[in-house]
Amino acid sequence: MIKEIQLRVTLEEETQDAIVLQKVVKQLRIDKDEVSGIKVLRKSIDARKPLIIFNYKVAVYINEALPEASEYVFEYKDVSNAKEIHIVGFGPAGMYAALRCIELGFKPIVLERGKNVQDRRRDLRAINQEHFVNEDSNYCFGEGGAGTYSDGKLYTRSLKRGDVRRIFENLVYHGATDQILVDAHPHIGTNKLPKIVQNIRETILKFGGEVHFETRVTDFVIKENKIQAIQLLDGREMIANRVILATGHSARDIYKLLHKHEIALKAKSFAMGVRVEHPQEIIDNIQYHCTGERNELLPAAAYSLVHQVGDRGVYSFCMCPGGFIVPAATANGEVVVNGMSPSRRNNQFANSGIVVEINVDKDLYKYEKYGVLKGLEFQKDLEKLAFTAGGRSQVAPAQRLTDFVEGKLSTDLNSTSYQPGLKSAPLHSLLPKPIGGRLRKGFAAFGQKMNGYYTDQANIIGVESRTSSPVNIPRKENLEHPEVEGLFPCGEGGGYAGGIVSAAMDGERCAEAAIVGL
């Protein structure tokens, strides 16, 4: 017999050996010898009150053995000589599209403009230390996409788009800890993701797929509204009749290429703002109702905030407890910041994007001349502004949080995790009013919701501009572009995902759609 039950364990009880077994036996009123095993299905922390509770959902096996293997089986087969599906981009959407192709008996040909994870590290070092951005290999482009060097957050609200558990199980299959199957807000960590990404690539190659790095797509050959071939930067042309376009939200050249071909695109609403960075201890003290260092059983505290300013939302995005801020520009002449965390989330700082909703139909009237690319151009201008304000390098413009809200230039700044460095700048006046004004009101409101959040010990750092794509590549119900047969827009770049898991699910769906009729 298997029974699923909920348990509540206090922080003090969590230190006790076999506390879960004790709770199970008491709740089910059975003898402990009847319990063959306990499988933790979900674990979360309720810290809303001073008495912190661990909530467990467990499956109790009563006089029945625990299963030895996962119920998920990934049956990869040799596709060396199978029909080909071309996949542009090797982020989460592209990786999972390739894996799904192999399961379905088709050969994925992956074209990735960036480098593999090992070689990519040198280019990341160059951004941080030399302030030079390789436009094909950076925090956004390269093996694993932007997800590789990120917090590896796996939380998603896209529960109706696919089998979330299947995505997690496949990550475990490729080396992730099975703790991600349990945690309510799972993450992997930027230190562990590269190896998992490499393992996925090795699976694809082992079963006959192809992965081509430093292979930039520059054009598509389209005849009679049908994909015929892909043209590459080195002059080669690859015959292709099914193309999954999984290039990510920062591949601006792809949007411009499609626009040049007069292939339908749509301007899409998105969000932009700044990163805010606090000492992690401040966030811990707020969230765990403590002073000084948090209890060793508790992870670095996170938060989620939202406030309505007028008719626009101001909200936290990609919150990274125990993390650090990184330069995420994809070209020289721009400054973009993003956040990430190692698996242990043991850095002394907590950072989060705090962003404002941008309505492309109402907020960008000055950019109407750019048509469907108006959001992209607005995004670029804000990144150029940050580059100039930071001193024309990857040094980022920054301000103490209280000075930003009160409209004062900071005479000095707090310590930071951002390696290229910070420069004091009047972000309160530099940011466009629809963003800066709403951020100032939003931060003041957040300080009321979280006592201690509004502090001069926090910096705000600009700009957080790549939350999602400002362009949507439309598709029909069969996931194919309405005007170009054989083209399947996918993942964040198409406007159909907002993180690792939703992008991975969309990659699988596009693979299933692309093979139809082959």
Side-chain angles (χ1 to χ4, degrees):
M1 179 189 301
I2 304 171
K3 285 196 172 183
E4 291 187 5
I5 61 172
Q6 306 280 348
L7 303 174
R8 288 169 58 82
V9 179
T10 67
L11 183 57
E12 183 179 351
E13 289 174 330
E14 185 76 4
T15 65
Q16 300 174 22
D17 292 338
I19 186 61
V20 172
L21 175 60
Q22 293 175 37
K23 294 266 185 180
V24 164
V25 167
K26 183 178 180 180
Q27 185 167 323
L28 295 180
R29 298 179 181 178
I30 58 177
D31 190 280
K32 67 179 182 180
D33 293 336
E34 295 180 67
V35 180
S36 307
I38 300 170
K39 183 177 182 180
V40 179
L41 303 177
R42 184 68 67 196
K43 183 179 180 181
S44 62
I45 297 173
D46 185 348
R48 290 173 294 178
K49 298 179 180 178
L51 181 62
I52 295 173
I53 299 293
F54 290 86
N55 290 314
Y56 283 84
K57 180 181 180 182
V58 300
V60 184
Y61 289 73
I62 304 171
N63 297 319
E64 182 172 334
L66 267 74
E68 294 182 2
S70 168
E71 61 188 87
Y72 286 83
V73 178
F74 300 98
E75 296 181 346
Y76 299 118
K77 56 198 74 172
D78 185 358
V79 294
S80 303
N81 300 311
K83 293 180 179 178
E84 298 175 350
I85 304 287
H86 287 76
I87 301 168
V88 185
F90 199 47
M95 289 190 299
Y96 271 79
L99 290 173
R100 189 65 180 135
C101 282
I102 293 172
E103 283 188 284
L104 297 170
F106 292 81
K107 180 176 182 176
I109 309 292
V110 180
L111 309 175
E112 167 57 50
R113 69 193 294 169
K115 300 177 182 179
N116 64 46
V117 286
Q118 294 88 353
D119 294 339
R120 192 176 171 190
R121 286 192 178 99
R122 288 191 287 271
D123 295 315
L124 301 187
R125 194 177 304 119
I127 300 174
N128 280 295
Q129 297 179 2
E130 301 165 22
H131 300 221
F132 173 77
V133 180
N134 181 328
E135 297 188 4
D136 287 320
S137 179
N138 44 61
Y139 278 98
C140 291
F141 299 145
E143 185 173 19
T148 300
Y149 294 98
S150 74
D151 191 57
K153 282 180 283 294
L154 303 177
Y155 180 68
T156 181
R157 294 183 177 88
S158 303
L159 302 180
K160 295 182 180 179
R161 296 188 184 183
D163 188 344
V164 173
R165 177 78 180 202
R166 174 183 158 84
I167 301 301
F168 287 6
E169 291 276 3
N170 211 338
L171 286 168
V172 173
Y173 177 92
H174 285 99
T177 171
D178 59 8
Q179 190 65 32
I180 66 172
L181 306 176
V182 173
D183 289 342
H185 289 83
H187 78 109
I188 295 175
T190 187
N191 55 318
K192 295 186 176 181
L193 275 164
K195 180 59 178 174
I196 295 166
V197 166
Q198 181 182 329
N199 291 343
I200 290 174
R201 180 228 307 167
E202 290 173 355
T203 293
I204 293 167
L205 297 178
K206 176 182 176 181
F207 290 96
E210 297 180 12
V211 181
H212 301 270
F213 294 113
E214 298 183 70
T215 304
R216 184 170 178 174
V217 172
T218 56
D219 210 346
F220 299 107
V221 178
I222 301 170
K223 294 181 180 178
E224 297 179 353
N225 297 324
K226 184 176 181 180
I227 283 280
Q228 302 287 327
I230 298 170
Q231 292 182 349
L232 307 176
L233 183 62
D234 62 11
R236 287 182 295 155
E237 185 169 290
M238 303 180 85
I239 303 300
N241 60 10
R242 294 287 196 282
V243 175
I244 296 174
L245 194 61
T247 47
H249 60 43
S250 291
R252 292 168 170 168
D253 55 323
I254 293 295
Y255 298 133
K256 291 180 179 179
L257 172 61
L258 297 177
H259 192 54
K260 184 186 76 172
H261 280 292
E262 299 184 344
I263 294 170
L265 300 172
K266 295 179 181 178
K268 172 179 158 293
S269 293
F270 56 109
M272 293 199 296
V274 295
R275 279 260 146 195
V276 62
E277 184 171 59
H278 290 79
Q280 180 64 50
E281 189 173 292
I282 288 179
I283 304 302
D284 290 341
N285 291 347
I286 295 170
Q287 298 295 70
Y288 293 140
H289 319 281
C290 64
T291 55
E293 292 187 7
R294 67 180 182 274
N295 188 292
E296 62 182 8
L297 293 177
L298 296 171
Y303 61 82
S304 178
L305 292 166
V306 62
H307 182 71
Q308 203 74 10
V309 179
D311 56 351
R312 297 287 184 277
V314 179
Y315 58 92
S316 56
F317 170 82
C318 186
M319 197 276 147
C320 299
F324 44 94
I325 299 176
V326 297
T330 52
N332 292 292
E334 63 190 31
V335 165
V336 181
V337 292
N338 193 12
M340 58 182 61
S341 303
S343 58
R344 293 176 60 195
R345 289 181 165 171
N346 56 353
N347 192 281
Q348 63 179 312
F349 295 105
N351 73 79
S352 178
I354 303 294
V355 295
V356 178
E357 291 178 328
I358 305 297
N359 185 314
V360 290
D361 297 321
K362 298 179 179 179
D363 298 336
L364 304 182
Y365 57 91
K366 292 182 180 179
Y367 289 80
E368 287 299 332
K369 63 181 178 181
Y370 297 108
V372 294
L373 301 182
K374 57 187 174 182
L376 187 152
E377 293 299 327
F378 179 59
Q379 200 181 51
K380 285 168 61 177
D381 279 356
L382 202 63
E383 294 165 4
K384 290 175 184 176
L385 179 149
F387 176 76
T388 301
R392 306 187 68 81
S393 69
Q394 285 303 303
V395 170
Q399 201 168 2
R400 287 182 185 251
L401 172 58
T402 49
D403 289 341
F404 173 74
V405 174
E406 295 166 17
K408 299 185 299 185
L409 180 68
S410 298
T411 55
D412 60 356
L413 298 168
N414 298 297
S415 298
T416 182
S417 64
Y418 184 72
Q419 285 190 29
L422 304 179
K423 179 182 178 182
S424 178
L427 288 170
H428 63 276
S429 61
L430 290 174
L431 291 172
K433 285 186 179 179
I435 295 177
R438 291 187 173 103
L439 283 175
R440 292 167 74 182
K441 291 180 180 178
F443 277 123
F446 295 159
Q448 295 175 352
K449 294 179 181 182
M450 289 178 62
N451 185 28
Y453 183 91
Y454 182 71
T455 172
D456 65 0
Q457 295 182 60
N459 290 330
I460 65 158
I461 301 169
V463 290
E464 171 77 63
S465 54
R466 307 284 180 95
T467 60
S468 66
S469 170
V471 180
N472 169 246
I473 308 174
R475 63 190 188 188
K476 299 181 294 186
E477 285 188 14
N478 70 347
L479 309 188
E480 192 174 38
H481 192 278
E483 297 176 354
V484 183
E485 185 179 341
L487 180 65
F488 294 83
C490 181
E492 290 201 28
Y496 300 102
I500 291 172
V501 175
S502 56
M505 288 192 294
D506 201 56
E508 289 201 332
R509 293 179 64 215
C510 284
E512 292 163 2
I515 69 169
V516 174
L518 276 181

